[in-house]
Structure formats: structure tokens, C-alpha cells
């Protein structure tokens, strides 16, 4: 398995993966967070254009997709009934992956 940046040619497979995730969320009692309307194709295309959309894949198939942003997320500024463990960044980019 490996992770790579998504490209425009991956959009149909990405949409399939998100549909599976949407169905799972709905069937697991969370029908309102994504429904069958999020993320939109436009959002995914924007993530690809901004190079924040990644695929988890092997030599034959795609197994996952995610967007990784190196910015503060406004929706995480207020956490109800909890708190962050620290004020560190959400992630740190590896300096060298060999």
C-alpha cells in the first residue's frame, strides 16, 4: 500500500470511494453529516487542484481517499464537551521520506 496525490483522472474512483463512505455513515446511524451530498465533485476537484487530495492504493485498487490541509480548521476552534490535548499543529510534514 502507498499514498499518492490524486489527479483529475482519479475523480470517478474517488467518487465511488466517497459513496461507500456515505452509505456506511447513513447505515451506521449518521445520515445527516454527509448524506449523499458531501463532498461534491466540485469540492473534490478543488482539493485535487490545490494538491491536498490523496489516495491510499496498492498496485491494483484504490482503498481510501482523504484531504490533508496544512491550515487551521475553523470548525475545530470550538469543541463541545472536550478539549485539544495540546496546541501543536495537526500534523507535521516529513522532511525526508526515503
Amino acid at each position: 500500500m502507498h499514498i499518492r496525490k490524486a489527479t483529475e483522472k482519479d475523480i470517478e474512483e474517488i467518487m465511488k470511494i466517497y459513496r461507500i463512505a456515505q452509505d456506511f455513515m447513513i447505515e451506521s446511524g449518521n445520515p445527516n453529516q454527509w448524506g449523499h451530498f458531501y463532498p461534491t465533485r466540485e469540492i473534490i476537484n478543488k482539493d485535487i487542484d490545490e494538491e491536498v487530495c490523496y489516495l491510499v492504493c496498492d498496485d491494483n485498487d484504490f482503498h481510501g481517499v482523504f484531504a490533508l490541509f496544512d491550515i487551521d480548521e475553523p470548525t475545530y476552534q470550538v469543541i463541545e464537551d472536550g478539549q485539544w490535548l495540546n496546541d501543536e499543529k495537526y500534523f507535521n510534514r516529513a522532511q525526508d521520506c526515503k
Side-chain angles (χ1 to χ4, degrees):
M1 293 262 208
H2 61 278
I3 295 173
R4 68 167 175 83
K5 286 186 180 179
T7 67
E8 299 271 333
K9 68 179 184 175
D10 300 319
I11 191 73
E12 293 306 321
E13 291 299 320
I14 291 170
M15 296 298 293
K16 288 178 190 176
I17 292 169
Y18 276 124
R19 181 60 183 230
I20 292 167
Q22 293 163 346
D23 289 344
F24 178 81
M25 290 170 70
I26 291 167
E27 292 166 9
S28 298
N30 184 8
N32 300 320
Q33 184 175 357
W34 283 11
H36 283 134
F37 53 86
Y38 181 87
T40 63
R41 183 179 292 267
E42 291 77 21
I43 290 171
I44 297 167
N45 279 324
K46 184 174 182 268
D47 288 348
I48 291 170
D49 290 344
E50 293 178 1
E51 298 186 348
V52 297
C53 185
Y54 293 84
L55 286 163
V56 179
C57 45
D58 60 21
D59 293 335
N60 301 313
D61 290 309
F62 299 120
H63 298 282
V65 61
F66 62 93
L68 182 62
F69 301 95
D70 190 13
I71 59 171
D72 288 339
E73 173 57 49
T75 57
Y76 295 157
Q77 296 301 314
V78 177
I79 300 175
E80 298 175 12
D81 299 321
Q83 63 186 22
W84 287 109
L85 296 176
N86 56 52
D87 291 329
E88 295 178 19
K89 291 183 135 240
Y90 305 140
F91 75 96
N92 292 314
R93 292 190 187 274
Q95 296 299 316
D96 188 12
C97 295
K98 290 185 180 181

